[in-house]
């Protein structure tokens, strides 16, 4: 193991499936706290908090429509991830991993500009946005293959996805949706009363925020540590 490689629990790719899966669960659980502030040797930035430059949120429900373009987003709480279960397939040329993860609490802070429509009232919006979700669950899926083009023994990421994204509660706070404080408060309360509807609309954007970070972390390990070191074959 390279001196620049964070301490990993070695999992053998040809171990019995249940043994390999539990080993991977323990290994991933231990490495997340190490990556909290990033790992420059593998080009992995801070993951808690982690930064996302911009995204778009849209909410339409009844008399209220909100379109927001965010910038300078900060997400807190990733380090408290719980790896619940891992399912994997691995051989000498391929690896496929599904990771079921829970988060107790995630908080997203961002500046935004956009517009809001309440009945016949249409205004330009701008201010601070805070989305807090609790008891979040998701499944990360990663497919990797030996990079034959370079004959290097490193794994290349060929597919990555997030599925089964859900939360038990989401709370929205926002300033500047409407210039009148009372109208703004009404709009925020209206959104929070139907937070489930908003959350379902946000899932595509949530994936756009999370998948790049997940891919950076996965590539950081697979492209810097040879497969025979990361997941050796038991003799």
């Amino acid at each position: 193991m390279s001196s620049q490689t964070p301490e990993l629990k070695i999992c053998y790719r040809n171990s019995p499936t249940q043994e390999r899966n539990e080993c991977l669960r323990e290994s991933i659980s231990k490495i997340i706290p190490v990556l909290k502030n990033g790992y420059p040797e593998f080009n992995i930035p801070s993951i808690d908090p982690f930064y996302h430059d911009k995204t778009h949120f849209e909410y339409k429900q009844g008399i209220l429509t909100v379109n927001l373009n965010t910038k300078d987003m900060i997400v807190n709480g990733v380090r408290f991830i719980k790896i619940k279960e891992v399912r994997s397939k691995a051989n000498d040329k391929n690896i496929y991993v599904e990771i079921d993860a829970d988060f107790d609490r995630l908080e997203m802070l961002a500046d935004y500009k956009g517009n809001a429509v309440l009945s016949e009232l249409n205004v330009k919006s701008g201010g601070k946005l805070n989305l807090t979700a609790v008891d979040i669950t998701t499944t990360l899926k990663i497919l990797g293959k030996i990079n034959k083009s370079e004959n290097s023994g490193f794994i290349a990421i060929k597919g990555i996805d997030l599925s089964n994204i859900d939360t038990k509660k989401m709370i929205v706070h926002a300033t500047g949706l409407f210039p009148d404080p009372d109208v703004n408060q009404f709009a925020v309360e209206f959104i929070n009363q139907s937070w489930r509807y908003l959350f379902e609309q946000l899932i595509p954007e949530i994936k756009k925020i999370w998948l790049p970070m997940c891919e950076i972390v996965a590539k950081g390990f697979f492209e810097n540590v040879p497969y025979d070191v990361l997941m050796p074959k038991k003799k």
Side-chain angles (χ1 to χ4, degrees):
M1 190 77 66
S2 166
S3 61
Q4 291 186 323
T5 304
E7 191 65 30
L8 297 172
K9 180 178 176 64
I10 297 301
C11 302
Y12 296 98
R13 60 182 182 261
N14 60 336
S15 294
T17 300
Q18 186 173 353
E19 178 182 325
R20 182 182 65 240
N21 289 345
E22 178 59 20
C23 179
L24 287 170
R25 189 193 68 78
E26 292 178 3
S27 181
I28 297 168
S29 297
K30 289 180 178 179
I31 203 63
I32 295 298
V34 177
L35 301 179
K36 176 185 179 299
N37 297 318
Y39 200 79
E41 294 87 344
F42 289 0
N43 296 314
I44 298 175
S46 167
I47 67 168
D48 193 4
F50 86 83
Y51 171 85
H52 187 78
D53 54 354
K54 58 184 179 180
T55 192
H56 176 75
F57 290 149
E58 183 173 331
Y59 172 85
K60 293 181 180 180
Q61 177 76 343
I63 61 173
L64 180 63
T65 298
V66 177
N67 286 282
L68 306 179
N69 294 304
T70 71
K71 66 174 184 177
D72 299 331
M73 180 186 298
I74 299 295
V75 180
N76 294 290
V78 178
R79 68 185 181 278
F80 300 118
I81 189 174
K82 296 177 183 177
I83 306 301
K84 305 298 288 185
E85 186 176 350
V86 172
R87 296 171 295 280
S88 67
K89 296 180 181 179
N91 55 35
D92 293 347
K93 298 181 179 180
N94 308 282
I95 179 170
Y96 175 74
V97 182
E98 292 186 353
I99 304 166
D100 293 341
D102 290 359
F103 300 86
D104 289 337
R105 177 186 178 95
L106 291 173
E107 182 180 36
M108 185 213 76
L109 306 169
D111 297 321
Y112 80 88
K113 290 184 178 181
N115 74 286
V117 179
L118 180 63
S119 190
E120 297 180 356
L121 178 62
N122 189 336
V123 300
K124 290 184 178 180
S125 300
K128 302 287 185 180
L129 179 66
N130 180 321
L131 297 180
T132 301
V134 296
D135 292 333
I136 308 102
T137 58
T138 189
T139 299
L140 175 64
K141 302 175 181 179
I142 303 173
L143 173 64
K145 294 180 179 290
I146 285 288
N147 196 334
K148 295 181 180 179
S149 62
E150 297 182 4
N151 193 28
S152 59
F154 292 91
I155 289 286
I157 300 296
K158 296 298 183 181
I160 187 166
D161 191 27
L162 283 170
S163 63
N164 305 322
I165 302 171
D166 200 6
T167 182
K168 289 186 178 179
K169 182 68 175 178
M170 186 172 72
I171 303 168
V172 179
H173 295 286
T175 64
L177 288 176
F178 293 91
D180 184 285
D182 291 335
V183 176
N184 189 84
Q185 182 64 24
F186 172 82
V188 171
E189 290 177 357
F190 187 91
I191 292 171
N192 282 317
Q193 287 173 1
S194 55
W195 68 267
R196 170 61 66 182
Y197 186 78
L198 170 63
F199 180 77
E200 291 172 354
Q201 291 187 39
L202 290 182
I203 286 178
E205 294 301 322
I206 291 172
K207 293 177 72 170
K208 289 180 184 179
I209 295 169
W210 282 93
L211 274 174
M213 190 269 285
C214 293
E215 187 169 10
I216 286 171
V217 173
K219 284 185 173 182
F221 284 91
F222 284 129
E223 294 183 356
N224 286 283
V225 185
Y227 190 34
D228 283 338
V229 175
L230 193 63
M231 286 186 67
K233 189 173 183 179
K234 187 182 295 185
K235 303 299 183 181

